[in-house]
Amino acid sequence: MSNTLFITGVGGGIGTATARLFAAKGWHVGGCDLSAGAVESLADAIGRERFTPYVADVRDRADVARAIDDFTARCGGRLGAVFANAGVLFMAPDDQVTPAQKDLQVDVNVKGVMHTFDAALPHLKRAAPGTHMIAMASTSAEYGSPHHAVYSATKFFVRGYTEALNIEYRPQGINVCGIYVAYVDTGMVRNAEWQAASIETMGVKAQPEDVAAIVWKAVHGRRAHWRVGLDAKLSHYAVRLFGSWVAPIYARMMRI
């Protein structure tokens, strides 16, 4: 596997922390975001010999392919891993989330992951075995989460997509996995206009660096699921143990 990684949504939070970690460990990292200022500032901070910035919209298949193709060409035609990290979250009762907000979550969290994987796959095949496709999932993919309904559904997509592709591409030497975490201390959570009651009841315990550390483990492992922190593990085991009986627990957390 080539020590090269491309990250979407690299302009802040988890994406930035992951880029910094991999660059510090000697990898060549490429990353895209909608914010030119964010990616250029990150390149200046990390050093352009270790980080190559791109402005790209994961909703646009051609746009993200252009960025990944260019980055791979700069790395001698080899790509070791891709991290589909870009995501959008709107927390609110379902009837208070606008149609535009629902569409945006689907376009970024679902189509964006597909576009990213599709663009990276030819390059990962050439560098296999030992290459990786990683997507940002969520504990919302363990059981449908009220006040995150559409977001939760998009993360169920990520779960099913990565599980299926991991079976398909394992014989070709490509591992596909999802990263599962509860609330992370990022601007997307801190600055949300409406915050779910579960933020108060559960707390925001994970830091972007915690997630980055698990991404590092993922590119050196073969699991289909990687969970960050105790909350993510407890959510997983609770659903496995109780099934739909966890619904009253979710209702209490959300004060419904």
Side-chain angles (χ1 to χ4, degrees), residues 3 10 16 36 40 55 65 94 138 155 164 167 169 174 193 255:
N3 288 347
V10 78
T16 292
E40 291 297 332
V55 176
D94 182 65
S138 167
K155 295 306 179 178
I167 296 170
Y169 293 123
I174 303 172
E193 291 185 8
R255 298 174 185 166

Side-chain angles (χ1 to χ4, degrees), residues 91 147-148 183 194-203 252-256:
M91 294 179 279
H147 299 169
H148 303 75
Y183 293 116
W194 193 97
Q195 294 197 339
S198 55
I199 290 180
E200 183 178 340
T201 56
M202 293 177 59
R252 284 197 296 272
M253 287 195 307
M254 294 295 188
R255 298 174 185 166
I256 294 174

Side-chain angles (χ1 to χ4, degrees), residues 154-205:
T154 66
K155 295 306 179 178
F156 269 91
F157 165 83
V158 170
R159 178 172 186 158
Y161 190 51
T162 54
E163 287 175 345
L165 293 187
N166 191 47
I167 296 170
E168 286 192 38
Y169 293 123
R170 180 67 66 88
Q172 300 178 47
I174 303 172
N175 189 80
V176 187
C177 66
I179 307 293
Y180 298 80
V181 66
Y183 293 116
V184 183
D185 188 13
T186 65
M188 187 169 72
V189 172
R190 287 193 308 270
N191 302 327
E193 291 185 8
W194 193 97
Q195 294 197 339
S198 55
I199 290 180
E200 183 178 340
T201 56
M202 293 177 59
V204 180
K205 300 170 185 173

